[in-house]
Amino acid sequence: ATLTVDNEMNLAVFGGCNRFAGQVTLTEGTIAFPQNFAGTLMACPENVEAMERRVLAALAQATGYVRYGAGLVLTDAMGKALMHLEERPD
């Protein structure tokens, strides 16, 4: 899965089969993803659909983030890590 946020806070997520888009709200130490993403509805293998559901569920629960070098950890309201992301150049 990939997650991209541009300078205007436009969000693009590729879950392995489908693509999703929305707007992210970012402040110092807090993050909010849209409750409903615009997205494609391709028929995908069950294991890929399961991964996409986990990614979207993690984004829905994320309220905080921690940057470390080229990494980003999305956290929930209790500070529990939901997803680890690694920055990669285009």
Side-chain angles (χ1 to χ4, degrees):
T2 61
L3 181 141
T4 305
V5 179
D6 68 15
N7 291 336
E8 285 80 40
M9 295 292 128
N10 295 308
L11 171 72
V13 178
F14 176 65
C17 182
N18 287 291
R19 296 185 184 283
F20 304 93
Q23 192 83 24
V24 65
T25 303
L26 186 67
T27 61
E28 188 63 39
T30 66
I31 195 164
F33 294 94
Q35 293 299 311
N36 296 306
F37 289 94
T40 59
L41 294 173
M42 304 281 292
C44 310
E46 179 55 35
N47 62 330
V48 176
E49 279 189 35
M51 181 181 70
E52 286 183 347
R53 285 191 299 271
R54 288 191 305 270
V55 167
L56 294 176
L59 294 177
Q61 294 175 25
T63 59
Y65 67 94
V66 177
R67 291 277 317 199
Y68 62 96
L72 176 71
V73 178
L74 299 178
T75 60
D76 66 11
M78 301 299 289
K80 177 184 170 194
L82 298 169
M83 185 184 305
H84 294 256
L85 301 162
E86 184 178 310
E87 185 176 5
R88 298 196 179 169
D90 290 336

Short mmCIF file of all heavy atoms in Angstrom, two decimals, residues 49-81:
data_model
loop_
_atom_site.label_atom_id
_atom_site.label_comp_id
_atom_site.label_asym_id
_atom_site.label_seq_id
_atom_site.Cartn_x
_atom_site.Cartn_y
_atom_site.Cartn_z
N GLU A 49 -8.10 -7.19 -0.90
CA GLU A 49 -9.22 -6.46 -0.31
C GLU A 49 -9.08 -6.38 1.21
O GLU A 49 -9.36 -5.33 1.80
CB GLU A 49 -10.56 -7.12 -0.67
CG GLU A 49 -11.05 -6.75 -2.04
CD GLU A 49 -12.47 -7.24 -2.28
OE1 GLU A 49 -13.28 -7.25 -1.33
OE2 GLU A 49 -12.76 -7.62 -3.43
N ALA A 50 -8.64 -7.46 1.83
CA ALA A 50 -8.45 -7.47 3.28
C ALA A 50 -7.39 -6.45 3.69
O ALA A 50 -7.55 -5.73 4.68
CB ALA A 50 -8.08 -8.87 3.76
N MET A 51 -6.29 -6.37 2.92
CA MET A 51 -5.25 -5.40 3.22
C MET A 51 -5.79 -3.98 3.06
O MET A 51 -5.54 -3.12 3.90
CB MET A 51 -4.03 -5.59 2.33
CG MET A 51 -2.91 -4.59 2.64
SD MET A 51 -1.46 -4.74 1.60
CE MET A 51 -2.10 -4.16 0.03
N GLU A 52 -6.54 -3.73 1.99
CA GLU A 52 -7.11 -2.40 1.78
C GLU A 52 -8.03 -2.01 2.93
O GLU A 52 -8.00 -0.88 3.40
CB GLU A 52 -7.86 -2.33 0.45
CG GLU A 52 -6.95 -2.31 -0.74
CD GLU A 52 -7.68 -2.17 -2.06
OE1 GLU A 52 -8.92 -2.33 -2.13
OE2 GLU A 52 -7.00 -1.89 -3.06
N ARG A 53 -8.85 -2.94 3.40
CA ARG A 53 -9.74 -2.65 4.53
C ARG A 53 -8.94 -2.30 5.78
O ARG A 53 -9.30 -1.39 6.52
CB ARG A 53 -10.67 -3.84 4.80
CG ARG A 53 -11.79 -3.98 3.78
CD ARG A 53 -12.84 -4.98 4.22
NE ARG A 53 -12.32 -6.33 4.40
CZ ARG A 53 -12.25 -7.25 3.45
NH1 ARG A 53 -12.67 -6.97 2.22
NH2 ARG A 53 -11.77 -8.45 3.70
N ARG A 54 -7.83 -3.02 6.02
CA ARG A 54 -6.98 -2.72 7.18
C ARG A 54 -6.36 -1.33 7.06
O ARG A 54 -6.29 -0.58 8.04
CB ARG A 54 -5.91 -3.78 7.36
CG ARG A 54 -6.44 -5.10 7.86
CD ARG A 54 -5.33 -6.05 8.30
NE ARG A 54 -4.33 -6.30 7.28
CZ ARG A 54 -4.37 -7.27 6.37
NH1 ARG A 54 -5.39 -8.09 6.34
NH2 ARG A 54 -3.39 -7.41 5.50
N VAL A 55 -5.89 -0.98 5.87
CA VAL A 55 -5.28 0.33 5.64
C VAL A 55 -6.31 1.43 5.89
O VAL A 55 -6.06 2.40 6.62
CB VAL A 55 -4.68 0.44 4.23
CG1 VAL A 55 -4.32 1.88 3.88
CG2 VAL A 55 -3.46 -0.46 4.10
N LEU A 56 -7.50 1.30 5.29
CA LEU A 56 -8.55 2.33 5.46
C LEU A 56 -9.02 2.41 6.91
O LEU A 56 -9.28 3.50 7.41
CB LEU A 56 -9.71 2.06 4.51
CG LEU A 56 -9.38 2.19 3.02
CD1 LEU A 56 -10.58 1.81 2.17
CD2 LEU A 56 -8.89 3.59 2.67
N ALA A 57 -9.10 1.28 7.59
CA ALA A 57 -9.50 1.29 9.01
C ALA A 57 -8.45 2.01 9.85
O ALA A 57 -8.79 2.78 10.76
CB ALA A 57 -9.71 -0.14 9.51
N ALA A 58 -7.17 1.77 9.57
CA ALA A 58 -6.10 2.45 10.30
C ALA A 58 -6.15 3.95 10.07
O ALA A 58 -6.01 4.74 11.01
CB ALA A 58 -4.73 1.89 9.91
N LEU A 59 -6.39 4.36 8.83
CA LEU A 59 -6.47 5.80 8.53
C LEU A 59 -7.66 6.43 9.26
O LEU A 59 -7.56 7.54 9.78
CB LEU A 59 -6.58 6.04 7.03
CG LEU A 59 -5.36 5.64 6.20
CD1 LEU A 59 -5.63 5.87 4.72
CD2 LEU A 59 -4.11 6.36 6.65
N ALA A 60 -8.78 5.72 9.34
CA ALA A 60 -9.96 6.24 10.02
C ALA A 60 -9.72 6.43 11.52
O ALA A 60 -10.28 7.33 12.14
CB ALA A 60 -11.15 5.31 9.79
N GLN A 61 -8.87 5.59 12.10
CA GLN A 61 -8.59 5.66 13.54
C GLN A 61 -7.44 6.61 13.88
O GLN A 61 -7.27 6.98 15.05
CB GLN A 61 -8.23 4.28 14.07
CG GLN A 61 -9.35 3.29 14.03
CD GLN A 61 -8.90 1.91 14.47
OE1 GLN A 61 -7.94 1.78 15.21
NE2 GLN A 61 -9.57 0.89 13.99
N ALA A 62 -6.65 6.99 12.90
CA ALA A 62 -5.46 7.80 13.16
C ALA A 62 -5.82 9.20 13.61
O ALA A 62 -6.67 9.87 13.03
CB ALA A 62 -4.59 7.87 11.91
N THR A 63 -5.18 9.63 14.69
CA THR A 63 -5.36 10.98 15.20
C THR A 63 -4.02 11.68 15.44
O THR A 63 -3.98 12.88 15.63
CB THR A 63 -6.14 11.00 16.53
OG1 THR A 63 -5.42 10.22 17.49
CG2 THR A 63 -7.55 10.45 16.36
N GLY A 64 -2.95 10.93 15.41
CA GLY A 64 -1.64 11.51 15.66
C GLY A 64 -0.60 10.88 14.75
O GLY A 64 -0.86 9.90 14.05
N TYR A 65 0.59 11.45 14.77
CA TYR A 65 1.68 10.91 13.97
C TYR A 65 3.00 11.24 14.64
O TYR A 65 3.11 12.19 15.42
CB TYR A 65 1.64 11.46 12.54
CG TYR A 65 1.93 12.94 12.45
CD1 TYR A 65 3.22 13.41 12.21
CD2 TYR A 65 0.92 13.88 12.62
CE1 TYR A 65 3.49 14.77 12.14
CE2 TYR A 65 1.17 15.23 12.55
CZ TYR A 65 2.45 15.67 12.30
OH TYR A 65 2.71 17.01 12.25
N VAL A 66 4.00 10.44 14.31
CA VAL A 66 5.36 10.67 14.78
C VAL A 66 6.27 10.48 13.58
O VAL A 66 6.21 9.45 12.90
CB VAL A 66 5.75 9.67 15.89
CG1 VAL A 66 7.20 9.87 16.31
CG2 VAL A 66 4.81 9.78 17.08
N ARG A 67 7.08 11.49 13.28
CA ARG A 67 8.08 11.40 12.21
C ARG A 67 9.39 10.94 12.82
O ARG A 67 9.76 11.35 13.90
CB ARG A 67 8.32 12.77 11.57
CG ARG A 67 7.20 13.34 10.77
CD ARG A 67 7.10 12.85 9.37
NE ARG A 67 8.39 12.77 8.69
CZ ARG A 67 8.51 12.73 7.38
NH1 ARG A 67 7.48 12.81 6.63
NH2 ARG A 67 9.69 12.62 6.83
N TYR A 68 10.10 10.07 12.12
CA TYR A 68 11.44 9.66 12.53
C TYR A 68 12.24 9.41 11.26
O TYR A 68 11.98 8.49 10.52
CB TYR A 68 11.41 8.43 13.43
CG TYR A 68 10.83 7.20 12.78
CD1 TYR A 68 11.66 6.25 12.20
CD2 TYR A 68 9.46 7.01 12.73
CE1 TYR A 68 11.13 5.13 11.58
CE2 TYR A 68 8.92 5.90 12.11
CZ TYR A 68 9.77 4.96 11.55
OH TYR A 68 9.23 3.85 10.93
N GLY A 69 13.18 10.28 10.97
CA GLY A 69 13.96 10.16 9.75
C GLY A 69 13.05 10.11 8.55
O GLY A 69 12.23 10.99 8.32
N ALA A 70 13.16 9.03 7.77
CA ALA A 70 12.32 8.84 6.59
C ALA A 70 11.04 8.07 6.91
O ALA A 70 10.33 7.66 6.03
CB ALA A 70 13.10 8.10 5.51
N GLY A 71 10.76 7.89 8.19
CA GLY A 71 9.59 7.11 8.59
C GLY A 71 8.49 7.97 9.19
O GLY A 71 8.70 9.10 9.62
N LEU A 72 7.31 7.40 9.19
CA LEU A 72 6.13 8.03 9.77
C LEU A 72 5.30 6.95 10.43
O LEU A 72 5.04 5.90 9.83
CB LEU A 72 5.30 8.72 8.66
CG LEU A 72 3.98 9.35 9.08
CD1 LEU A 72 4.22 10.60 9.92
CD2 LEU A 72 3.15 9.68 7.85
N VAL A 73 4.90 7.18 11.67
CA VAL A 73 4.01 6.26 12.37
C VAL A 73 2.71 6.99 12.62
O VAL A 73 2.70 8.08 13.19
CB VAL A 73 4.61 5.79 13.71
CG1 VAL A 73 3.63 4.88 14.45
CG2 VAL A 73 5.94 5.08 13.49
N LEU A 74 1.60 6.41 12.17
CA LEU A 74 0.28 6.95 12.48
C LEU A 74 -0.19 6.30 13.77
O LEU A 74 -0.06 5.08 13.93
CB LEU A 74 -0.70 6.65 11.35
CG LEU A 74 -0.35 7.26 9.99
CD1 LEU A 74 -1.38 6.86 8.94
CD2 LEU A 74 -0.23 8.76 10.08
N THR A 75 -0.73 7.11 14.68
CA THR A 75 -1.15 6.61 15.98
C THR A 75 -2.61 6.92 16.24
O THR A 75 -3.18 7.84 15.66
CB THR A 75 -0.30 7.23 17.11
OG1 THR A 75 -0.46 8.65 17.09
CG2 THR A 75 1.18 6.89 16.95
N ASP A 76 -3.19 6.16 17.18
CA ASP A 76 -4.57 6.43 17.57
C ASP A 76 -4.58 7.40 18.74
O ASP A 76 -3.52 7.89 19.17
CB ASP A 76 -5.33 5.13 17.88
CG ASP A 76 -4.81 4.38 19.11
OD1 ASP A 76 -3.99 4.94 19.88
OD2 ASP A 76 -5.23 3.23 19.30
N ALA A 77 -5.75 7.68 19.30
CA ALA A 77 -5.89 8.66 20.38
C ALA A 77 -5.12 8.26 21.64
O ALA A 77 -4.76 9.12 22.44
CB ALA A 77 -7.37 8.86 20.70
N MET A 78 -4.85 6.97 21.82
CA MET A 78 -4.11 6.50 22.99
C MET A 78 -2.60 6.43 22.72
O MET A 78 -1.84 6.04 23.58
CB MET A 78 -4.61 5.11 23.40
CG MET A 78 -6.10 5.09 23.74
SD MET A 78 -6.53 6.16 25.12
CE MET A 78 -5.80 5.27 26.46
N GLY A 79 -2.19 6.81 21.50
CA GLY A 79 -0.77 6.78 21.15
C GLY A 79 -0.30 5.45 20.61
O GLY A 79 0.89 5.25 20.37
N LYS A 80 -1.21 4.50 20.40
CA LYS A 80 -0.87 3.18 19.88
C LYS A 80 -0.58 3.28 18.38
O LYS A 80 -1.33 3.90 17.63
CB LYS A 80 -2.03 2.21 20.11
CG LYS A 80 -1.80 0.84 19.53
CD LYS A 80 -3.02 -0.04 19.72
CE LYS A 80 -2.86 -1.31 18.93
NZ LYS A 80 -4.12 -2.04 18.82
N ALA A 81 0.50 2.66 17.95
CA ALA A 81 0.88 2.66 16.53
C ALA A 81 -0.14 1.88 15.72
O ALA A 81 -0.49 0.75 16.05
CB ALA A 81 2.26 2.06 16.35
#
